[in-house]
Amino acid sequence: MRKPLICLSLLTAVLSPPFSTVNAASPPNIKTLPDISLKTKQRTVTGTFNASGKATWVFESKTYAAETTHIEFNAGRTFSASVFANKTDYIKRQAYPYYHAVKDTALIFPFSWSGQQYLELKGTPGATYRLPIYLRSLTPLQPMKTAASTIQSRSLIVKMKQGGSLKQTWTRGAERLSLPFQSGAVVERLRFPSKEAATTALKRLQHSSAVAYAEYDLPVHHSGDTFHRYQWSLTNTGQHNGKKGADIRFSAMQKYIKTKTLAPIRVAVIDTGINSTYADFNGRIRSDLGYDFIRKTKTALDDNGHGSHVAGIIAANGNNAFGISGINPQAQIIPIRVLNARGEGQNSDVIRGILHAVKQGAKVINLSLGLSESSKALEEAIAYAKSKNVLIVAASGNESKSTLNYPARLASVVSVGATTTRDARASFSNYGKGLDLVAPGVMIPSYINDGEIAYSSGTSMAAPHVTAVASLLFSLKPSLNVKQVEAILKQSATDLGAKGYDLSYGFGRLDAYQAVRSVK
């Protein structure tokens, strides 16, 4: 995904060493930024740098978010400026690193954060300064396409038969990691120093009578309210050259559930992680239940943007005059990171992510990712999740193929293709045998990892629409089982293409309103 540039004039502030003299409760010598509105269009703050050559202002981005999307600080060439996304970052001296640069000295900051933000100016001690400030309304960014995977299969996933054991001569030099399957199953990931060593071991293991199966640990990749008017997937009025009404009927659904009691439902997003600091994610992300299988840490922070984009579609706080509207107001997102900053990962981590999600009480799992080949180990993990009444939704893939990606092609998951603003199958969306539903997946706005709201297209964006509505069905009636939820989603869908089920649209385009009305 394309990231905004860092202004050269800001680098000294970004790289400043930490200091411990700031009081966390009340940082010294801080002024409140004067009110700015679209009517005034521009303000200029003036002052004098202190003996340390600094001047600090505080503001809250949500104050301006109802009117516009960004704030611009035009620093000039005699001093530099930095913004800190919250008080903690200000105290730790961790300046916000991703800015738009419209000219050498301008700093443009998005309105995507909760709490107070800090503006720090640095110049000559005792000198006066003038800082023009503007409000900007910017079109969401268009993320770049994901590069081809660079991960090679140097690892194997091996399941032993009951009583079987691995011979050390076959696995010498391999790093071993047990995968926590259900009791009685012995499944391990073996990581070798080279692809050649893994291939040699694989051939021997596949011919061993003690081995149930052995396969490569395959590479995995993601399938690619201020802004509510851009959310055509929720309310299509014909924007983006669309067809009026070609949406999931979000407004009608909202009215229907307004009088209903909704139970909080846990939804696992197995992806690149989630940045939970956005104002629109306040109270929605269960970081305490998540895990980062890439960094091996409890906190699954997003340094790619894909996972945050998916989570925003499902659960961004709505009706707050800020950002975008998520679909399920009661979804609690469990962030599980299995893909790195390039959107790449290993099958074994996806498996562990699924098992972790089940353990943490997820009712729905979103897999906006895919493999090019099948995996028995992943199939077992998905079957285990389903046996625990956990629904898995998977993206069909973006290769314009008549074969779905794996695991979307499995009958045990709900597979989702993408539609356009005109209710047609997106040209990139995989289709064919096993396709269950389609949902909007072109030019969908949501959050990325640096706090920006960005348009993105892909079956990765279609799948979380279905995940959100599935979780909403569980919210309305927690006693529903996976089979019942699947049936409701399919039977309530809007038929597109050939009458009845077809290979391009499955059972049809997601209809959130009809789905919630079907819950009795």
Side-chain angles (χ1 to χ4, degrees):
M1 292 187 178
R2 179 161 61 92
K3 290 185 177 179
L5 301 175
I6 301 175
C7 302
L8 291 178
S9 61
L10 304 177
L11 286 179
T12 55
V14 173
L15 299 177
S16 296
F19 66 92
S20 57
T21 58
V22 178
N23 185 297
S26 55
N29 304 319
I30 292 180
K31 300 178 182 179
T32 300
L33 209 64
D35 289 339
I36 307 169
S37 71
L38 291 180
K39 293 180 181 179
T40 59
K41 295 185 180 179
Q42 183 258 330
R43 289 273 189 177
T44 299
V45 296
T46 60
T48 302
F49 290 112
N50 64 17
S52 300
K54 294 182 181 179
T56 306
W57 298 80
V58 67
F59 65 100
E60 292 192 31
S61 64
K62 70 177 183 180
T63 302
Y64 313 108
E67 293 188 275
T68 187
T69 64
H70 292 71
I71 189 168
E72 176 183 332
F73 304 107
N74 225 324
R77 296 187 179 277
T78 59
F79 59 92
S80 65
S82 295
V83 171
F84 299 82
N86 50 60
K87 182 182 288 188
T88 300
D89 285 358
Y90 173 71
I91 293 169
K92 291 182 177 180
R93 312 304 298 152
Q94 294 177 351
Y96 178 74
Y98 304 117
Y99 301 109
H100 283 297
V102 293
K103 52 177 87 83
D104 288 344
T105 56
L107 179 161
I108 298 184
F109 181 77
F111 294 148
S112 306
W113 306 90
S114 58
Q116 293 183 320
Q117 287 71 53
Y118 292 80
L119 166 68
E120 183 177 86
L121 309 180
K122 296 180 71 175
T124 303
T128 59
Y129 62 85
R130 296 182 73 257
L131 179 70
I133 301 174
Y134 304 86
L135 294 185
R136 299 295 190 197
S137 184
L138 303 181
T139 302
L141 301 174
Q142 177 67 48
M144 296 169 64
K145 293 182 179 179
T146 304
S149 175
T150 59
I151 293 178
Q152 293 186 336
S153 296
R154 295 191 293 116
S155 301
L156 305 178
I157 297 176
V158 183
K159 180 180 180 182
M160 306 306 300
K161 292 180 180 177
Q162 198 71 29
S165 62
L166 291 171
K167 292 186 178 180
Q168 290 299 318
T169 54
W170 294 350
T171 60
R172 184 175 293 128
E175 173 192 341
R176 298 175 69 161
L177 173 68
S178 296
L179 299 176
F181 270 86
Q182 57 268 46
S183 178
V186 179
V187 183
E188 292 189 283
R189 185 189 72 172
L190 305 177
R191 184 175 177 84
F192 294 84
S194 67
K195 184 177 181 180
E196 291 72 24
T199 301
T200 299
L202 179 63
K203 291 177 180 178
R204 292 181 175 179
L205 288 164
Q206 287 177 332
H207 289 89
S208 170
S209 58
V211 175
Y213 62 76
E215 60 190 29
Y216 284 117
D217 186 4
L218 297 168
V220 182
H221 57 86
H222 62 57
S223 303
D225 303 352
T226 299
F227 282 85
H228 185 83
R229 64 184 182 276
Y230 295 110
Q231 291 185 272
W232 69 266
S233 65
L234 306 187
T235 307
N236 193 335
T237 60
Q239 67 271 51
H240 296 306
N241 195 32
K243 176 183 175 183
K244 187 176 181 179
D247 53 52
I248 68 167
R249 303 182 73 191
F250 178 74
S251 296
M253 178 272 288
Q254 273 193 315
K255 289 179 181 178
Y256 181 80
I257 66 171
K258 193 173 183 180
T259 60
K260 305 294 181 181
T261 300
L262 299 178
I265 291 295
R266 295 178 185 178
V267 178
V269 173
I270 298 179
D271 214 290
T272 62
I274 299 171
N275 193 327
S276 60
T277 62
Y278 308 156
D280 252 10
F281 283 159
N282 185 34
R284 309 308 299 279
I285 310 300
R286 293 295 304 270
S287 297
D288 59 316
L289 302 179
Y291 194 78
D292 185 334
F293 287 98
I294 302 295
R295 299 188 185 96
K296 308 295 187 296
T297 61
K298 181 82 174 172
T299 305
L301 290 178
D302 185 2
D303 57 2
N304 173 277
H306 192 266
S308 296
H309 202 280
V310 167
I313 294 168
I314 299 169
N317 286 311
N319 300 319
N320 57 2
F322 183 77
I324 62 171
S325 296
I327 295 170
N328 185 356
Q330 287 297 321
Q332 298 181 346
I333 303 295
I334 302 174
I336 300 175
R337 184 171 183 250
V338 300
L339 303 177
N340 62 20
R342 289 176 56 86
E344 303 170 350
Q346 296 287 154
N347 184 31
S348 55
D349 285 335
V350 177
I351 292 167
R352 292 197 291 166
I354 291 171
L355 300 176
H356 180 83
V358 174
K359 182 179 179 181
Q360 298 301 335
K363 292 292 289 184
V364 187
I365 296 174
N366 189 90
L367 294 179
S368 286
L369 49 77
L371 295 74
S372 58
E373 301 175 39
S374 62
S375 162
K376 292 180 180 178
L378 180 56
E379 190 169 347
E380 279 200 54
I382 289 172
Y384 174 67
K386 191 168 184 178
S387 74
K388 298 296 184 181
N389 200 38
V390 179
L391 181 71
I392 294 184
V393 179
S396 70
N398 303 332
E399 292 76 34
S400 304
K401 294 181 179 179
S402 59
T403 303
L404 307 187
N405 273 358
Y406 194 88
R409 72 182 71 144
L410 291 175
S412 50
V413 308
V414 175
S415 56
V416 185
T419 54
T420 69
T421 61
R422 302 193 64 80
D423 249 355
R425 180 179 65 83
S427 60
F428 56 77
S429 182
N430 290 356
Y431 58 98
K433 184 179 179 182
L435 182 67
D436 292 310
L437 294 166
V438 289
V442 175
M443 293 292 287
I444 305 298
S446 187
Y447 292 100
I448 53 176
N449 59 305
D450 60 7
E452 294 284 355
I453 291 177
Y455 284 127
S456 196
S457 299
T459 55
S460 281
M461 284 63 250
H465 283 80
V466 174
T467 294
V469 175
S471 69
L472 194 53
L473 301 182
F474 281 120
S475 291
L476 285 165
K477 190 175 181 179
S479 62
L480 288 172
N481 60 42
V482 167
K483 188 175 180 180
Q484 290 170 323
V485 171
E486 285 187 36
I488 290 172
L489 291 171
K490 294 173 183 178
Q491 292 167 8
S492 62
T494 299
D495 192 20
L496 300 177
K499 188 174 182 180
Y501 180 86
D502 64 78
L503 299 182
S504 289
Y505 299 97
F507 288 94
R509 191 246 306 128
L510 176 70
D511 187 327
Y513 175 57
Q514 288 296 341
V516 296
R517 288 189 64 207
S518 300
V519 177
K520 305 299 182 184

